[in-house]
Amino acid sequence: MDIHVLTIFPDMFPGVIDASIVGLARTRGVVGVHLHDLRDHTNDRHRSIDDRPFGGGPGMVFKPEPVFRAVEAIERSISSDRAVRRVLLTPQGERFTQPAAERLAKADALILICGHYEGFDERIRTGLKPDELSIGDYVLSGGEVPALVVIDAVTRLLPGALGDERSAPEDSFSRGGLDFPHYTRPVEFRGMRVPDVLRTGDHDRIEAWREMKARERTRARRPDLLDSARPERDRATATPETSQTTNGRRKP
Ligand code: 9D3
């Protein structure tokens, strides 16, 4: 897969994309991450990417021309037989969940368009018809960190990205619940002991214990993930929680 990122802050990406699974996947040729500076697609002397909003008001709006020119240039560089998805990172987008990552991972190429603390001219939406994604309900200063989240979540799903091909499907959000508790040596640390069951070597008992602990933890912290009546594709999409739980974290 090739992931193209359109941004006014390309310097925010190295470091994250060089490290860990994404870094290794790039080294192995599983994914290519290509950074495009939006300012390189401007025409004016000042390399303007934004302008004042029609109708007045504070803030600035991302101009359509540089974004269209950049997306068209990127798409000319991609062979026409490849499945390309345009993705706009915006607080108004659909929530980016594990099923959304799985859908994006099927594409041959992604174009991630990052905005900033200002809006996009609406014609970027209506003209380019991108998927619109938000990573959650908190205010960030731009779409760059969300783009890194998408790059990370999608890359680790690509064949060959993980050393161990077993790992991705067994992850908590793919299984539909939270992880069980993990322990390593020492057996006792500051008075806290590793549960005896984990040292019995009885793999059936260990598996049963882990399932119980995972379910307990999911029930306490994320009961929304336990509703097995919901379709698989919706399972990572939380609905507001109303029921009281055992640990008192949630209000009724
Ligand atoms: C003026 C404040 N906001 C009005 C409700 C608009 C606004 C625009 C752009 C707020 C933040 C941003 C910058 N954020 C993103 O571009 C962004 C984002 C986010 O802030 N939270 C979660 N996901 C995303 S994806 C892109």
Side-chain angles (χ1 to χ4, degrees), residues 120-133:
F120 292 99
D121 184 289
E122 189 64 15
R123 290 164 293 188
I124 293 169
R125 294 197 168 81
T126 56
L128 292 176
K129 299 182 173 45
D131 294 352
E132 298 185 38
L133 296 178

Side-chain angles (χ1 to χ4, degrees), residues 89-91 115-118 133-136 138-143 146:
L89 285 315
T90 163
H116 249 262
Y117 205 91
E118 47 199 328
L133 296 178
S134 160
I135 63 163
Y138 29 80
V139 180
L140 302 172
S141 49

Side-chain angles (χ1 to χ4, degrees), residues 1-78:
M1 173 182 283
D2 284 296
I3 304 180
H4 296 265
V5 184
L6 185 57
T7 171
I8 56 171
F9 294 117
D11 292 350
M12 289 178 70
F13 290 80
V16 180
I17 64 170
D18 292 336
S20 189
I21 289 170
V22 175
L24 201 53
R26 291 174 64 225
T27 304
R28 289 176 171 162
V30 168
V31 70
V33 180
H34 313 278
L35 304 172
H36 304 269
D37 189 337
L38 183 61
R39 287 192 199 278
D40 293 343
H41 298 270
T42 53
N43 266 333
D44 63 311
R45 219 158 47 81
H46 302 288
R47 312 223 300 162
S48 325
I49 49 91
D50 54 10
D51 203 344
R52 290 158 26 223
F54 276 114
M60 299 283 275
V61 176
F62 261 52
K63 293 162 62 62
E65 302 96 319
V67 176
F68 273 70
R69 288 165 50 89
V71 168
E72 286 161 2
I74 292 165
E75 289 184 353
R76 279 195 299 276
S77 81
I78 303 172

Side-chain angles (χ1 to χ4, degrees), residues 119-185:
F120 292 99
D121 184 289
E122 189 64 15
R123 290 164 293 188
I124 293 169
R125 294 197 168 81
T126 56
L128 292 176
K129 299 182 173 45
D131 294 352
E132 298 185 38
L133 296 178
S134 160
I135 63 163
D137 294 340
Y138 29 80
V139 180
L140 302 172
S141 49
E144 283 77 11
V145 169
L148 285 165
V149 167
V150 171
I151 292 168
D152 191 294
V154 169
T155 297
R156 58 186 301 294
L157 293 174
L158 301 176
L162 303 178
D164 180 356
E165 289 307 310
R166 197 172 51 97
S167 304
E170 288 185 8
D171 273 340
S172 65
F173 284 101
S174 298
R175 275 202 331 260
L178 302 182
D179 213 349
F180 51 77
H182 301 270
Y183 293 88
T184 185
R185 290 182 293 182

Side-chain angles (χ1 to χ4, degrees), residues 96-107 153-154 157 168 173-174 232:
F96 181 63
T97 58
Q98 191 63 23
E102 286 163 13
R103 277 194 295 277
L104 293 186
K106 292 176 183 155
V154 169
L157 293 174
F173 284 101
S174 298
E232 152 92 58

